[in-house]
Structure formats: C-alpha cells, structure tokens
Amino acid sequence: MLDFFRARVCQTCDLDGFVGDCGCEFDTVNKATRQYFFPLLGDLAQRTFFRYFKVNLSKACPFWHEEMICSIRDCAVLECEAHEVPPVWIERDAEGRAIRECLGDSTTALSEMEKLLGTVDRKEAKAGVDAFAGWAEGDNAKVWIEQEEEDQGMNYINLLRNIERFTGYAGPSACRVWRSIYENCFELSPMELHAGGHCLEKRVFYRLIAGLQSSISTHLALDYYDSAQDRWCPNTALFVEKVGMHPERIHNLYFAYLFLLRAINMAGPELQAYDYDTGNPEDDEWVRGAVRGLVRASSNATTAEQCHRAFDESGMFQPRGLAGGSDAVAAEEAELHKLRHDFFVRFHNISRIMDCVGCEKCRLWGKLQVLGLGTAIKVVLGRPEDRTAEGRLSFQRNEVIALINTAHQLAKSVKAVDDFQKLEFDEIVQRWMWLAGLVLIVTGALLGLLLRRQGPKRSNRHHGECGKATNGMDSAAQGVLPIDYERTKKAN
C-alpha cells in the first residue's frame, strides 16, 4: 500500500513492466541488484585487481581547444604512488614495452587493425594501429578505445580515492561534449527509438550511450556537494530533474546495465580463466571465486539468471531474409557489414571525445566507462573472426577492470533509482508535516486572537453569574438567621 501511494505522489517514474528491448521486468532487476549483483560487484571493486586503472588524462582534445576546468577541489584526480601498484604489473608493463618495440610497424599489426575495423583505408588503419597497439598486453591489440603507450602519459589511478561524484562541471564545455557524443549516434526517428521497432542495432547503440549518461547523472546526484552545509549528500531534486521524471532515461539506464550483465555472462569462460595475480594470494583467490559467482549465478539466484539472459543479441547484425534472389542477399550482407563498421567507428570516435572533457575526474570515469561499454560490445556483438581459433576472446587487463567497474557503477545507479524514490517520498512527507505543523500554528494563533477579542464579554458574563450566586448565598444566609433565631426563642 505504501509503495502504491509513493508511486502516485513522487515525480520519479513508477517502474512497472519490462525494460525496453529486454525480456526482464523492473522488479526482477531491482531484486537481483539488491540481493546479488550490487553487493558482489561492490566487493570486487574494492579488491586490488579492480582498484587500479591505467589511463592518460593529459592528452589534448583532438577536436577543439579545451581547458581543464575544476570548480571545486574534488574534481582533481590523485595519481598513485609507485609503491601502490602491484609490482607484478610493473614487470609486465616493462615486458609489454619490449614487445611493442619488437612489433614496430609490422604488417601483422596493421592487418589486425584492418580486421577489427573492416577498413579499406590503409592510412586510416595505420593511424589506428599506432593508437591500438600501444596498450597491448600479451598477444591482444583489439581494444575499442584509443589509449596511449606507457611513455605517453599513462598512469595508474586508484579508483577508490577518486570516486565518481559531483564536481561542478557543467555549462558550455559539458554541453559541447555531450552534443558531440550524440552526434556520433545513429539518426533515429521517434518510431525507431521505440522498443520493438526496426533498426535494433542503431537503437542499441543509442541506448547504451544514453544509459551511460543517466548513470553518470545519477552518481552526481547521489554524491552531491552541498556548499551551504559543507557536506556530501544525496540531491533528490537534481536526480528527479535529470533522470527520475524521464521514463526513457530510466529505461536506457536499466538497458545498459542488463547489456553489461549479458556481456559478463557471455565472457564467463574468459573471465574465470583470467590471471588476477596482484601478488596478494588471498585477495586474488577471493577475486577468482567472486568472478565465478558473478558470471554464473548460483542455482538459488533465479532473478540474477534472468538478468543474465535479459538481452537477446541473436537478432543483431543478422540478415532479415529479404526476398529477391542472390543480388538482394548480397546487398543486404554488404549493408550489414557497413552497419557493423559504422557501429565500431562511431564508438571509437566517442572514446576520443573523452579527451575533450574539461574536468579531470569526469574524464577519468568517462574513459573507464566508455572502455567498459566497448568491452561489453566486443563480447556481445563481436564477429567470429575476432575470436581465437578455439573460439575464445582475449582481454587486456584494463578491459577487465573497466568492464567490472562499469557494471558496478551501473548497478549502483539502478539501486539508487529506488532509493531516490524513497527519499523523494520522505521529503514530500516531511514537507506535508511541516505544512501541517504550520497550519496548526497559524490556526492556534488565530483562535487565540479570536478568544482575546471575545474575552471582555465572557468576563462580564462570568462576573455577573458570580454576582447572582453571591447574592443567592447572601439571601440564604439572611434566611437562615431568622429560622435559627426562632428556634432559639422556642428553646428559651
């Protein structure tokens, strides 16, 4: 009954039915998140392996001149000291540099880049090799976002010391970044944006980006700096304005979250076999066990299993079975190939726009979460040729870190949607109670004023009654004396 009432009085949208483009209800997602995914992902994010992310935050914006803007102290990023980073990682970084020096401008690296992007432009592919091959670990150089080599500004960042929160970054700079990001999304009509409509691939692309923006807005509202009180606290009004009162933004948030969970489930074999060595055996063993639980929920966690299967990728980049003979089939295959190529290139462009973010901490989390989304896309929508001969995917360390941390950020946002609705309801109740108290005070004051105005009349009437009573008592007293007097005479 309380939930029904809360849904009717709050501006935050009532979450009912199925998440758009997913076969999972909001209630199921909320239950699985609270009971399973959020606690597990939160614990993983605290561990050594997932705590450190390597990134270049000093790269210049490739599209326009952008100054780093920090309106408050907390928008600056604290880099790691050398002793914080696991020594085994430092050793492997050195090995990676040696491998890159040996690769140089090899045609193998170029062909790998061409295979990834499907490009026919050798000059463009060469530029891509320079960007992608720079952050290779092991034999893999297929990364979805542009990263730098060790000697070009890559530094380790402790994510726990640089949490995603409100920084005051807004205005023309932030608007230009988001506008440029959405310009790289596919153009969709209102009908195509609707769940169940055509152009699923284009809609998935848009909803992933829009879902990420909803999640970021939620985090800024969840951990907001109140300068008047000099403290960090939730800002319910900001959440309602940016996310809560917009049904499509909440749908996009949940969609992006379920897409990440699907990717984690599909990459289960690779994630379970990954080397999580940080030099801390106890911590590393715990991570391996937690990852096993994350990619394949226990038998009693049915809601978690439903979330793993919520997004169905089987219809993505698949022929529609058009009639018209071999020519029509060939044309459709060419169109799908171009669509996949555009999908990759547009996403890569968005990764480059992250270097135009004017707030350092926003740039950090933008780069990490775009890489996390890119890794998820690589898993869910990757081509067979992107896998090894054994059908396996290979991941760089940064990709695994970004994938799990992005899933954690989305899980935190999904949990916060329900929390904010409760906070909004509590604030409404408090306002009602405040108004009720104010009405009682005003009513009492008016009643008191009315009584004071009528006070003299009531006082006279009261004294009059008292006078009558007194007079009666006097009469009685006067009547008693003669009776007593007669008795006295008889007695005498």
Side-chain angles (χ1 to χ4, degrees):
M1 184 64 183
L2 181 61
D3 290 338
F4 175 83
F5 184 62
R6 185 170 62 218
R8 295 300 177 273
V9 301
C10 291
Q11 288 183 279
T12 299
C13 303
D14 185 23
L15 304 180
D16 190 24
F18 287 82
V19 179
D21 287 317
C22 290
C24 199
E25 293 183 321
F26 281 103
D27 286 344
T28 301
V29 179
N30 289 336
K31 183 178 179 181
T33 299
R34 285 189 174 276
Q35 297 181 356
Y36 198 82
F37 289 118
F38 179 71
L40 189 55
L41 287 165
D43 286 342
L44 278 169
Q46 298 284 325
R47 300 293 169 163
T48 303
F49 183 88
F50 294 103
R51 188 183 306 168
Y52 301 103
F53 181 65
K54 198 168 191 180
V55 64
N56 178 7
L57 298 177
S58 59
K59 188 176 179 182
C61 173
F63 304 111
W64 61 79
H65 177 71
E66 184 66 46
E67 295 289 345
M68 296 297 289
I69 303 171
C70 282
S71 61
I72 62 175
R73 178 186 57 191
D74 296 88
C75 79
V77 170
L78 301 175
E79 296 181 1
C80 288
E81 299 290 341
H83 63 84
E84 294 183 62
V85 184
V88 64
W89 289 12
I90 302 299
E91 295 174 6
R92 291 177 183 176
D93 288 349
E95 294 173 0
R97 283 193 295 271
I99 292 173
R100 285 192 298 276
E101 290 174 0
C102 293
L103 280 176
D105 295 329
S106 68
T107 56
T108 302
L110 181 58
S111 64
E112 285 294 316
M113 185 63 188
E114 290 178 327
K115 187 190 299 182
L116 175 64
L117 294 178
T119 182
V120 295
D121 187 339
R122 299 282 294 185
K123 183 177 180 180
E124 179 184 351
K126 175 61 172 63
V129 169
D130 292 341
F132 276 97
W135 181 219
E137 292 181 20
D139 297 324
N140 179 43
K142 299 177 182 178
V143 186
W144 275 60
I145 77 167
E146 191 170 281
Q147 300 199 66
E148 300 300 311
E149 294 185 15
E150 313 280 336
D151 55 354
Q152 292 182 323
M154 295 285 284
N155 293 295
Y156 283 104
I157 306 296
N158 186 335
L159 298 175
L160 299 184
R161 295 171 58 195
N162 298 276
I163 63 175
E164 187 176 32
R165 67 196 325 184
F166 173 79
T167 64
Y169 179 57
S173 175
C175 290
R176 180 164 50 178
V177 168
W178 280 115
R179 184 172 60 251
S180 299
I181 288 173
Y182 281 109
E183 286 173 354
N184 276 276
C185 292
F186 295 93
E187 293 185 8
L188 293 168
S189 67
M191 183 63 69
E192 291 171 333
L193 276 173
H194 185 269
H198 297 295
C199 300
L200 175 62
E201 294 85 0
K202 296 180 180 180
R203 191 167 63 253
V204 165
F205 189 101
Y206 172 84
R207 299 194 73 181
L208 288 175
I209 300 302
L212 176 60
Q213 184 181 19
S214 295
S215 179
I216 291 172
S217 298
T218 300
H219 291 153
L220 303 187
L222 189 62
D223 210 0
Y224 183 86
Y225 179 67
D226 187 342
S227 57
Q229 302 184 50
D230 191 25
R231 68 187 182 98
W232 294 90
C233 58
N235 187 327
T236 307
L238 179 62
F239 169 79
V240 172
E241 176 191 352
K242 298 297 184 182
V243 181
M245 64 188 299
H246 306 279
E248 73 284 358
R249 297 180 186 180
I250 294 181
H251 272 268
N252 292 334
L253 167 61
Y254 276 69
F255 174 83
Y257 174 53
L258 291 173
F259 189 93
L260 264 289
L261 292 180
R262 178 60 178 155
I264 290 172
N265 178 249
M266 290 181 64
E270 290 86 356
L271 291 176
Q272 292 181 81
Y274 198 83
D275 182 8
Y276 296 100
D277 183 19
T278 64
N280 185 338
E282 182 178 351
D283 197 59
D284 299 342
E285 185 58 33
W286 187 94
V287 167
R288 295 184 189 97
V291 169
R292 284 194 296 270
L294 181 63
V295 302
R296 195 170 302 279
S298 58
S299 58
N300 60 351
T302 55
T303 56
E305 292 176 354
Q306 291 179 51
C307 290
H308 277 153
R309 301 190 301 269
F311 177 74
D312 182 8
E313 71 284 350
S314 61
M316 297 283 289
F317 299 111
Q318 296 299 318
R320 307 297 194 259
L322 300 177
S326 58
D327 290 342
V329 172
E332 186 180 18
E333 290 180 351
E335 183 180 351
L336 288 173
H337 178 78
K338 182 179 183 303
L339 179 61
R340 185 187 292 273
H341 169 73
D342 288 347
F343 201 100
F344 294 160
V345 170
R346 288 170 184 268
F347 195 88
H348 185 262
N349 285 343
I350 289 174
S351 78
R352 300 179 68 200
I353 295 173
M354 291 300 102
D355 287 315
C356 301
V357 177
C359 161
E360 195 172 42
K361 187 171 291 183
C362 305
R363 181 180 293 197
L364 164 66
W365 283 101
K367 281 176 168 284
L368 181 143
Q369 290 174 101
V370 167
L371 178 57
L373 282 184
T375 304
I377 295 171
K378 170 182 170 180
V379 174
V380 179
L381 306 179
R383 302 172 299 177
E385 54 265 37
D386 292 331
R387 296 177 176 266
T388 64
E390 295 77 22
R392 304 290 290 272
L393 285 165
S394 58
F395 293 112
Q396 295 182 14
R397 185 200 309 139
N398 244 19
E399 290 179 297
V400 178
I401 294 170
L403 179 66
I404 298 303
N405 273 286
T406 303
H408 174 236
Q409 295 298 92
L410 289 167
K412 185 192 300 185
S413 295
V414 165
K415 177 179 175 294
V417 171
D418 188 48
D419 292 340
F420 267 120
Q421 190 179 54
K422 293 175 181 177
L423 283 172
E424 184 186 1
F425 179 73
D426 290 343
E427 291 179 8
I428 291 173
V429 170
Q430 289 176 7
R431 285 197 296 269
W432 285 351
M433 293 178 65
W434 182 84
L435 287 173
L438 181 61
V439 169
L440 287 174
I441 293 172
V442 172
T443 302
L446 292 174
L447 184 59
L449 180 61
L450 180 63
L451 290 175
R452 282 196 296 271
R453 286 183 176 181
Q454 296 180 348
K457 294 182 180 180
R458 292 188 61 187
S459 177
N460 291 338
R461 183 169 60 250
H462 175 70
H463 285 298
E465 292 173 353
C466 290
K468 292 179 182 178
T470 303
N471 293 336
M473 287 176 64
D474 290 343
S475 299
Q478 293 170 7
V480 167
L481 288 175
I483 294 174
D484 291 344
Y485 178 73
E486 291 296 328
R487 287 179 180 176
T488 303
K489 288 174 66 177
K490 289 180 180 181
N492 295 331

